[in-house]
Amino acid sequence: MAEHYDVIIIGSGAGGGTLAHTLASSGKRILLLERGDFLPRELDNWDPKPVFVDGKYISKDRWFDRDGKSFQPQVHYFVGGATKLYGAALYRLRPQDFGELKHASGISPAWPLSYDDFEPWYSAAERLYQVHGNAGEDPTEGHRSEPYPWPAVSHEPRLQQISDDLAKGGYHPFHAPCGILLNEARRPESTCIRCATCDGYPCLVHAKSDAEVIAVRPVLDRDNVTLLTGAEVTRLETDDRGRTVTGVVVSRDGNREVYQADIVVVSAGAANSAKILLNSAYDAHPHGLANGSDQVGRNYMFHNCLAVVALAKEKNDTVFQKTLGINDFYFATKDYQWPMGNIQMIGKSNAEAMRGEQPEKTMFAPNWTLADVAEHAVDFWLTTEDLPVPENRVTTDKDGNVHLTYSSTNDEEAGRLYGELKKILNHTGMAAHHVLRKNFYMNMSIPVAGCAHQAGTCRFGSDPATSVLDVNCKAHELDNLYVVDTSFFPSIGAVNPALTAMANALRVGEHLLDRMA
Ligand SMILES: Cc1cc2nc3c(=O)[nH]c(=O)nc-3n(C[C@H](O)[C@H](O)[C@H](O)COP(=O)(O)OP(=O)(O)OC[C@H]3O[C@@H](n4cnc5c(N)ncnc54)[C@H](O)[C@@H]3O)c2cc1C
Ligand code: SF4
């Protein structure tokens, strides 16, 4: 006899973990099924070699690209999901991102809800995840109903200098919104120690606002919340009509287990959520669950990104570098008719991590060692929106494996943004020809592996012919199936996706509480 719950949530990351947190106080019986385990706390957490060179915390999964070639995707199966490794840059989408935006490669479609609809949920998510930021600095940000709960993380001297130089050059640098448990006013009480091993590393002292620390752990002592780790959901079973999920099939310790709930929420990450639905094909849903419109798995996005290292003669001794953002090119400018995207900092390079990435020799100083390059590097992360293209999609084969077909969009915009960065560098003592491309999130042999910002695959919308989910993120075709990870995004904008997934999980959480009341 399968065990029965009020709600089963599959996946404990930004979407699923946040949803579990918001439902926990209702007293409803909640089962959180997580494929991974708790990420071990160990010195390796902060060691670039195991993290970046050996890929210790990356799943051993093999997926397949469009040519059938297998690759190791950069996915992280832990309680807290990808947020365990994330850079905690917690941005809101811009108000215009919720509307239709024209791009060089086509249209970024409108969402069924507006920024105003999301705004209260963004505020709630920022409160929960203790986001640091300064409202009013970023010229593209939308209105806010409340200030950031914490003041922005301060710039260290080199970043302050870059920010000042940019402002003098007529740009509008801002303090990047950031989710770390840093109390700069009272450092002895601060959980975060402001270290150099944050972006892309797990936090050894649990001071990152990740979904495990902020959302999952705090509710685990409740009698009504059960977390099962090592519990990989392989398929969902439905009634004969295919309207209701009646069983969640789990592989755990080599055994097949089945769990039941009134409401089932899939939140396994954009690719894996599509995998679960596609692998649940059955007589009533021959092409996969919730897939009558053939939309499940389609419109996969993960940003058109570029990590670059700029070299200056002076050393960059910044410890925590991810404090600055530039959105002057987020939309069209007077010189360019298309949106280009966001520029932000990433974690400071270090020689050990670079060894894993094999950077090109620098023309700047051919005799420099990797340590010299890393010491002088200032590290930027460029994000251009990629478009939801139906052919960019997740499918599964007869053995249930993920196949990812992806072709980039908006390459012209991304190239233009890179050009703008080079111009910017002239204002900051880093000449344009001293810029190296580097693969940081994408240190795999083929770009599709760098799926850190994966989204799409089950988009929400009002038309069942073109979307998988309704505006409450319930599957159009089923009465009790929801999806609350980044799968629901109809477009991805050009800022990091996690805060939008967290805000949406809080929004859907309120809907579920109303439904169960
Ligand atoms: C290195 C790195 C840096 C990043 N930096 C940032 C950043 O600075 N800012 C930002 O906004 N975003 C960042 N991201 C992206 C961000 O982490 C993701 O957008 C976010 O975590 C997505 O949330 P999600 O709920 O969709 O998926 P996830 O958080 O990945 O959660 C999915 C969960 O489902 C579990 N799961 C998968 N399959 C199954 C299954 N079959 N059964 C049970 N459980 C399953 C997984 O183990 C995981 O716990 C970064 C990501 C990475 C990898
Ligand atoms: S900067 Fe703070 S949150 Fe990030 S890893 Fe270091 S201690 Fe943890």
Side-chain angles (χ1 to χ4, degrees):
M1 174 76 179
E3 291 181 52
H4 194 94
Y5 292 84
D6 293 307
V7 184
I8 289 177
I9 303 171
I10 301 163
S12 61
T18 307
L19 181 68
H21 186 278
T22 197
L23 296 183
S25 56
S26 68
K28 297 289 178 190
R29 289 193 67 212
I30 296 157
L31 175 64
L32 190 51
L33 294 170
E34 170 52 53
R35 170 180 181 159
D37 205 336
F38 285 97
L39 193 145
R41 293 175 79 178
E42 54 193 7
L43 289 176
D44 278 1
N45 289 175
W46 278 350
D47 186 336
K49 182 170 180 303
V51 174
F52 283 109
V53 182
D54 305 338
K56 177 168 185 175
Y57 302 112
I58 298 175
S59 146
K60 302 279 180 274
D61 260 18
R62 302 299 298 183
W63 293 356
F64 296 87
D65 70 8
R66 61 186 320 146
D67 302 318
K69 191 171 155 222
S70 84
F71 65 93
Q72 185 186 11
Q74 197 197 15
V75 287
H76 308 277
Y77 297 144
F78 295 106
V79 177
T83 68
K84 287 308 294 174
L85 283 293
Y86 79 164
L90 291 178
Y91 281 81
R92 298 176 175 207
L93 287 169
R94 319 288 94 180
Q96 295 91 323
D97 289 323
F98 290 83
E100 182 178 291
L101 268 178
K102 292 197 172 67
H103 281 267
S105 296
I107 300 284
S108 167
W111 289 38
L113 297 175
S114 68
Y115 175 83
D116 286 349
D117 295 321
F118 262 76
E119 199 288 328
W121 304 110
Y122 274 136
S123 290
E126 286 171 349
R127 244 180 285 129
L128 178 61
Y129 281 85
Q130 305 189 30
V131 181
H132 295 53
N134 280 353
E137 293 180 352
D138 173 355
T140 65
E141 72 186 357
H143 80 86
R144 314 173 56 86
S145 54
E146 33 187 285
Y148 282 103
W150 284 83
V153 178
S154 65
H155 296 315
E156 290 173 48
R158 182 76 177 101
L159 266 285
Q160 186 62 56
Q161 183 198 343
I162 292 173
S163 177
D164 293 345
D165 289 347
L166 288 173
K168 271 188 223 136
Y171 300 102
H172 302 87
F174 58 90
H175 286 85
C178 184
I180 54 176
L181 306 182
L182 177 67
N183 186 340
E184 292 200 270
R186 299 163 81 96
R187 282 296 287 267
E189 292 165 26
S190 178
T191 314
C192 168
I193 61 166
R194 191 175 181 137
C195 71
T197 45
C198 193
D199 194 4
Y201 298 81
C203 178
L204 176 57
V205 296
H206 277 191
K208 200 188 279 192
S209 295
D210 63 49
E212 178 207 351
V213 169
I214 295 290
V216 178
R217 271 188 190 271
V219 300
L220 286 183
D221 57 356
R222 288 181 169 273
D223 293 340
N224 61 315
V225 177
T226 305
L227 167 69
L228 284 188
T229 57
E232 181 184 354
V233 173
T234 53
R235 60 179 283 128
L236 305 178
E237 295 174 337
T238 65
D239 62 356
D240 289 342
R241 289 171 55 234
R243 293 290 313 179
T244 307
V245 178
T246 52
V248 177
V249 182
V250 169
S251 166
R252 195 160 72 107
D253 297 330
N255 299 318
R256 181 183 187 275
E257 299 171 359
V258 181
Y259 297 89
Q260 292 182 335
D262 295 341
I263 291 169
V264 173
V265 185
V266 180
S267 193
N272 278 311
S273 287
K275 174 184 174 182
I276 292 170
L277 297 182
L278 293 171
N279 286 348
S280 302
Y282 166 73
D283 291 351
H285 294 277
H287 305 295
L289 211 51
N291 198 25
S293 59
D294 189 27
Q295 292 296 307
V296 172
R298 292 191 185 273
N299 306 302
Y300 177 91
M301 299 165 280
F302 75 137
H303 278 145
N304 193 330
C305 286
L306 184 62
V308 293
V309 173
L311 298 176
K313 282 218 164 68
E314 64 185 300
K315 283 189 182 170
N316 177 12
D317 55 7
T318 306
V319 175
F320 184 83
Q321 189 169 243
K322 215 172 163 65
T323 59
L324 182 90
I326 304 160
N327 271 341
D328 292 271
F329 316 105
Y330 198 90
F331 299 114
T333 63
K334 66 178 173 32
D335 303 323
Y336 188 62
Q337 62 175 317
W338 309 116
M340 285 170 267
N342 163 274
I343 298 176
Q344 60 184 268
M345 315 307 296
I346 43 174
K348 179 80 188 67
S349 287
N350 65 67
E352 198 60 58
M354 281 186 147
R355 196 161 292 129
E357 296 154 21
Q358 299 179 325
E360 305 150 41
K361 280 267 178 231
T362 161
M363 288 157 54
F364 188 41
N367 298 326
W368 273 8
T369 62
L370 283 176
D372 293 326
V373 172
E375 244 178 12
H376 292 255
V378 180
D379 308 77
F380 294 91
W381 179 246
L382 277 53
T383 305
T384 298
E385 175 166 3
D386 60 341
L387 299 178
V389 176
E391 294 74 28
N392 285 347
R393 64 188 296 201
V394 172
T395 52
T396 56
D397 59 27
K398 64 177 174 30
D399 298 319
N401 298 306
V402 169
H403 289 243
L404 192 50
T405 302
Y406 184 84
S407 301
S408 64
T409 52
N410 291 336
D411 290 341
E412 182 196 317
E413 294 176 3
R416 183 79 183 209
L417 187 62
Y418 186 42
E420 295 293 349
L421 175 73
K422 289 182 173 181
K423 282 192 225 159
I424 278 182
L425 297 180
N426 289 326
H427 292 275
T428 57
M430 293 173 275
H433 59 282
H434 301 149
V435 178
L436 305 177
R437 284 167 184 255
K438 84 180 204 146
N439 286 347
F440 200 35
Y441 286 4
M442 302 185 189
N443 59 346
M444 311 281 174
S445 52
I446 49 171
V448 283
C451 49
H453 288 187
Q454 58 182 283
T457 73
C458 297
R459 64 183 178 188
F460 80 151
S462 42
D463 181 0
T466 55
S467 57
V468 177
L469 310 171
D470 69 13
V471 287
N472 292 320
C473 288
K474 184 184 81 62
H476 289 297
E477 295 171 14
L478 286 104
D479 298 328
N480 68 340
L481 176 67
Y482 290 77
V483 181
V484 298
D485 52 26
T486 53
S487 304
F488 85 98
F489 285 33
S491 67
I492 194 171
V495 288
N496 318 51
L499 187 75
T500 301
M502 295 158 178
N504 186 58
L506 296 176
R507 183 182 73 87
V508 174
E510 187 179 79
H511 160 78
L512 291 178
L513 290 172
D514 284 349
R515 176 177 165 156
M516 292 187 292

